[in-house]
Amino acid sequence: DSGVTQTPKHLITATGQRVTLRCSPRSGDLSVYWYQQSLDQGLQFLIQYYNGEERAKGNILERFSAQQFPDLHSELNLSSLELGDSALYFCASSASGGPTETQYFGPGTRLLVL
Amino acid sequence: GQNIDQPTEMTATEGAIVQINCTYQTSGFNGLFWYQQHAGEAPTFLSYNVLDGLEEKGRFSSFLSRSKGYSYLLLKELQMKDSASYLCAVRAPSGSARQLTFGSGTQLTVLP
């Protein structure tokens, strides 16, 4: 158990819909990262937040957005869903203070778009 | 940009030693990580290298050569539970960003 929690574990929805994935980082971690893992793309970095502010953007579609709240939990919003958005979505957190900056991953949310 | 290459699949026998290679070409480098991921589960941290050389952690060791853009993960005394995907990841250059770029992973199968 990494200490990172994600809800829900599974999500099934239809094309065109909107969903929200939630992540709580490890206690004391200020930085949150979102990754998407699909069968053909591997683990892809989407976006990073540090202490409520966006720090880096990766391969995140315009239909996707995220935020980090004052209590440091984060939400990833996926809208106008397409079949190709079906994937595992992982959240990771790190302390953003030490030299090793290891990221610890949550259990993931498995999204299926039908 | 970042380009990370690792073999897609490897097979080894229980009790043996296996070496999983990773080569990278990146626009910046601030550390290389190895993660283990069982199917459908979260990646779990195995090792971190930022300087050249070998880091040993029990049955797992990781090596880095920055001049060659090369790393390997060495697994000794293989156990059935080591069957998993092993992900090599490079961290972005120093600064505020800390995102990782992952290779596609090496699926290791340990046979009895």
Side-chain angles (χ1 to χ4, degrees):
Chain A
D1 185 355
S2 67
V4 179
T5 60
Q6 289 186 248
T7 57
K9 286 187 179 178
H10 302 278
L11 202 47
I12 302 174
T13 188
T15 54
Q17 295 298 305
R18 172 190 169 96
V19 296
T20 297
L21 313 184
R22 183 188 169 105
C23 167
S24 292
R26 294 187 320 156
S27 177
D29 284 359
L30 298 178
S31 211
V32 169
Y33 312 76
W34 286 97
Y35 292 87
Q36 179 193 56
Q37 187 174 39
S38 55
L39 283 174
D40 58 343
Q41 291 286 327
L43 255 175
Q44 299 283 318
F45 168 71
L46 295 178
I47 197 164
Q48 177 203 1
Y49 280 83
Y50 173 76
N51 205 21
E53 293 186 3
E54 181 185 304
R55 278 298 169 90
K57 261 187 175 179
N59 302 321
I60 188 166
L61 300 172
E62 286 193 10
R63 300 184 285 110
F64 296 0
S65 64
Q67 54 184 329
Q68 186 179 28
F69 295 87
D71 67 352
L72 301 177
H73 91 271
S74 178
E75 292 181 356
L76 179 67
N77 300 296
L78 315 176
S79 61
S80 302
L81 284 167
E82 301 175 359
L83 295 177
D85 297 328
S86 295
L88 261 172
Y89 291 85
F90 287 106
C91 166
S93 74
S94 70
S96 295
T100 61
E101 203 61 44
T102 298
Q103 293 181 26
Y104 295 92
F105 283 76
T109 293
R110 186 177 293 278
L111 174 66
L112 180 60
V113 182
L114 299 175
Chain B
Q2 319 271 53
N3 187 41
I4 300 172
D5 290 312
Q6 23 177 161
T8 305
E9 297 176 328
M10 296 185 73
T11 303
T13 306
E14 194 175 13
I17 298 173
V18 71
Q19 177 175 311
I20 302 174
N21 296 324
C22 170
T23 58
Y24 62 91
Q25 298 93 38
T26 60
S27 55
F29 179 84
N30 199 26
L32 187 143
F33 292 76
W34 283 95
Y35 281 82
Q36 179 193 61
Q37 186 179 26
H38 288 96
E41 297 182 8
T44 55
F45 169 74
L46 289 179
S47 69
Y48 167 75
N49 295 72
V50 68
L51 299 176
D52 291 352
L54 188 67
E55 294 282 341
E56 296 186 78
K57 254 188 181 183
R59 295 190 300 115
F60 294 76
S61 304
S62 58
F63 171 83
L64 175 68
S65 168
R66 288 171 297 170
S67 62
K68 295 181 179 177
Y70 168 69
S71 173
Y72 67 72
L73 179 70
L74 193 71
L75 293 77
K76 304 174 190 173
E77 300 168 16
L78 280 172
Q79 302 174 9
M80 299 298 288
K81 67 178 182 179
D82 297 329
S83 291
S85 182
Y86 291 85
L87 307 172
C88 171
V90 174
R91 192 167 72 196
S94 59
S96 59
R98 290 285 189 266
Q99 71 268 30
L100 297 175
T101 300
F102 283 85
S104 299
T106 298
Q107 183 63 46
L108 173 67
T109 301
V110 180
L111 301 174

